[in-house]
Amino acid sequence: MPGNRAVTDGEQPLGHPLSCIRAERGWTYQDVVDIVARRVGNMSARREKAWRWEHRGVVPDLETQQALASELGVPHALLSSSPWPAWLPVGDRTAARVAWTPQDCVAALDATAGTALHDRRGFVIAGAGSAAAAAQRWLALAPLSWPRPATVPAPTAPPPAPTPLLVPASGPAPLPASVPLPASVPPVPVPVSVPAQRTGPSAVPDAPADPVPPALLAALGALEERVPALRRMEAALGGGPVRAVADAELRLVTDLLARGPAARPGPAAAELPARRLFAVAGELACLAGRACFDTGHEAAAERYFSAALSAAHAAADRPLGARVLSAMSLQCLSAGRPQEALAVARAARAGLAREAAGDGRATTPAVTSDTATPTATAAGELSGSVRHSAALLMARQARAHAVLGQADVCQRLLAAAGAILTPDARSSADHRADYCAEAAACELALGRPAAADHWLRRTLAALPEGRARDRAGTLVLRAVAALDQGAADRARGLATDAGRAVEGIGSPRVHRALAALRERLHGRPERHGGGRETPGRDFAMTAL
């Protein structure tokens, strides 16, 4: 498949746990059935059986599974507690757990950057409900309180000008080295990451503050500038060419965190670059996860998303955490877990509501219903970006309700999200395109291809030119919608357009959707699960 050439490390994802077992042990399909036949004694050893277990969702009978379990050293009791294929031993399934302290976050980033890139498992590894549990934990925890360096005036003269420190405009100025702190100054709150000797009455050191190395600040600024460029690159070229680049930069940020202010004692002012490094790490890990999801490396995507959520929490960046949860919600939908996708998106919206209230703690009122929207609070009018992000999360919830067949709730959510995005001149073309794409996916999931095509045409009109991958995927879905309406000739024309659009784009996800569409057009319907024909809603989960 042309799109597979863009998987930069040359390792194609293994889409089924049995594929991982065979790759690890060097087994062919024939080897698998021969092993079962030898242990069972009454099974015809035809390789097609093993192929169907991997590719058609066929579940082997209990006797066959017990034979395989014996060969693999798996207790038979596990077959009932973890139904096929979850009991197959396919490596560490805990690698996608989220860390909630800065030290643990650095350790999680260190265990992810460089290694997740080569994880070939093309299926989700965390158990059902894991993503929802992580989202609820993120929502319940108060964002970390990073220390704020104090400035104390000299007793007989005006305070000197603070030493410049390249931190965001909202950040505090560093403590001038020449001004001693009186004993009456209370301790400065410190994050969990600060070593124990910096807490308590002497939390603010009397020693002069060490300046932040200029090289660190220069590298940090360059890394922050790279993130938007990498996002644009991924949107244009697909995840294949980008995931290794994002991983390499994540490795660099992780190394800076491991030996920088977050990992050793130092003046409170030096913590500010650490906070920015955690934010950059979260952005890069989320981008790497999205790229892996696009290439079909589902386990790697889970690991990156978990590291990204950890880093967002360590940076006390709620909007970033909400973006990570949005990506996790999409992966849950793709994995056939709509209820979990709904819970994750709902938690992300609640987190944005608490951020808008200027607090973010668990005691702040949250979003209590799917159609509730954050409104003006005591902290002032919500920023446009928070409102737009909340509206898109509402549309994601609508999509999950559509997959569940709950059309009424889906339509209410779409209408509420559209009321925020459509009339707001501040909403970007990207936001409008994403909203239209979510609405189209809803209509496909509900079996309304004509309405889906309306939204898909609006998606194409709103998509910025740089989002070539999404444009190709949208054309695939327009062809699916046409075919579902019985317009085979129009579907063929759109499939041809999609084939041209996807050339040179490293998105195996879109290439797979196009290949499945062509199978249908040639009268060989793609099969999924137990052999049923793939409906339009499955395309919506893969191409958008």
Side-chain angles (χ1 to χ4, degrees):
M1 183 165 56
N4 288 342
R5 291 197 297 269
V7 178
T8 52
D9 60 8
E11 296 181 341
Q12 298 305 315
L14 301 170
H16 192 280
L18 184 57
S19 305
C20 292
I21 298 293
R22 292 194 308 104
E24 183 182 76
R25 297 177 177 244
W27 290 350
T28 64
Y29 291 120
Q30 190 63 51
D31 291 332
V32 174
V33 294
D34 285 345
I35 288 168
V36 173
R38 185 173 65 249
R39 286 183 173 272
V40 173
N42 61 352
M43 171 183 161
S44 59
R46 290 186 289 111
R47 64 183 299 277
E48 292 80 6
K49 287 188 175 182
W51 187 88
R52 287 196 294 271
W53 298 339
E54 281 189 21
H55 297 279
R56 289 295 181 256
V58 175
V59 177
D61 60 43
L62 180 59
E63 190 177 28
T64 297
Q65 291 189 51
Q66 289 174 339
L68 271 177
S70 297
E71 182 72 21
L72 297 171
V74 176
H76 287 189
L78 193 60
L79 275 60
S80 56
S81 60
S82 300
W84 173 274
W87 62 262
L88 290 170
V90 289
D92 185 10
R93 291 182 180 269
T94 66
R97 289 181 179 171
V98 182
W100 299 113
T101 68
Q103 298 107 316
D104 290 343
C105 175
V106 174
L109 289 167
D110 186 61
T112 302
T115 59
L117 185 68
H118 304 289
D119 192 330
R120 298 183 65 190
R121 291 174 291 181
F123 46 89
V124 294
I125 56 174
S130 299
Q136 288 302 318
R137 178 69 170 157
W138 170 83
L139 181 62
L141 289 173
L144 293 180
S145 178
W146 285 85
R148 291 181 174 274
T151 55
V152 181
T156 58
T163 304
L165 182 64
L166 297 180
V167 297
S170 60
L175 177 65
S178 61
V179 182
L181 278 174
S184 60
V185 175
V188 176
V190 293
V192 182
S193 65
V194 179
Q197 62 264 34
R198 294 190 55 204
T199 62
S202 58
V204 179
D206 291 332
D210 295 330
V212 178
L216 172 61
L217 293 174
L220 178 52
L223 287 164
E224 288 171 332
E225 291 175 358
R226 282 278 289 168
V227 170
L230 286 173
R231 281 202 210 102
R232 292 192 295 270
M233 193 183 304
E234 197 267 343
L237 301 177
V242 174
R243 69 191 196 105
V245 180
D247 180 88
E249 302 214 0
L250 180 62
R251 181 73 262 170
L252 172 59
V253 174
T254 302
D255 291 342
L256 290 173
L257 279 166
R259 64 173 185 262
R264 59 177 171 79
E271 299 284 345
L272 292 170
R275 181 178 182 178
R276 291 168 62 192
L277 281 169
F278 276 123
V280 172
E283 295 280 9
L284 290 169
C286 185
L287 178 62
R290 289 173 59 90
C292 287
F293 175 69
D294 195 38
T295 60
H297 294 81
E298 298 282 352
E302 280 184 288
R303 294 171 63 182
Y304 283 120
F305 290 149
S306 296
L309 192 61
S310 300
H313 179 68
D317 191 333
R318 282 285 189 176
L320 171 57
R323 291 199 300 275
V324 176
L325 290 176
S326 176
M328 292 171 66
S329 174
L330 180 61
Q331 187 177 34
C332 288
L333 275 174
S334 180
R337 299 176 178 178
Q339 289 283 11
E340 189 165 6
L342 187 60
V344 171
R346 186 181 289 128
R349 277 184 60 216
L352 286 178
R354 291 169 181 176
E355 173 72 14
D359 179 58
R361 293 175 296 183
T363 54
T364 307
V367 176
T368 56
S369 69
D370 280 349
T371 53
T373 58
T375 56
T377 66
E381 281 293 326
L382 297 186
S383 69
S385 62
V386 170
R387 283 178 57 80
H388 300 158
S389 297
L392 290 175
L393 284 165
M394 195 182 300
R396 176 62 50 76
Q397 289 177 254
R399 185 168 172 176
H401 282 292
V403 174
L404 291 167
Q406 298 165 352
D408 291 344
V409 181
C410 169
Q411 292 303 321
R412 287 199 301 271
L413 283 163
L414 281 179
I420 296 172
L421 289 170
T422 305
D424 193 341
R426 295 173 298 175
S427 62
S428 66
D430 285 298
H431 287 151
R432 291 191 293 273
D434 289 340
Y435 169 75
C436 293
E438 293 287 354
C442 289
E443 299 295 356
L444 281 173
L446 292 169
R448 301 193 292 228
D453 189 61
H454 164 78
W455 286 110
L456 290 168
R457 284 186 279 110
R458 291 187 61 177
T459 302
L460 289 171
L463 273 172
E465 185 176 349
R467 291 176 59 176
R469 186 262 318 279
D470 294 332
R471 184 171 296 276
T474 303
L475 286 169
V476 171
L477 292 181
R478 281 206 69 198
V480 171
L483 194 56
D484 287 348
Q485 294 176 78
D489 290 340
R490 181 155 58 93
R492 290 188 187 92
L494 287 165
T496 300
D497 293 342
R500 295 193 190 101
V502 82
E503 288 179 4
I505 295 176
S507 174
R509 185 165 54 109
V510 176
H511 281 279
R512 286 194 300 270
L514 180 59
L517 169 66
R518 285 170 172 164
E519 289 288 312
R520 289 186 63 190
L521 286 170
H522 287 87
R524 299 187 298 273
E526 181 77 1
R527 298 283 168 178
H528 183 277
R532 62 180 175 81
E533 183 176 342
T534 304
R537 66 195 243 171
D538 290 331
F539 282 93
M541 295 302 102
T542 57
L544 278 182

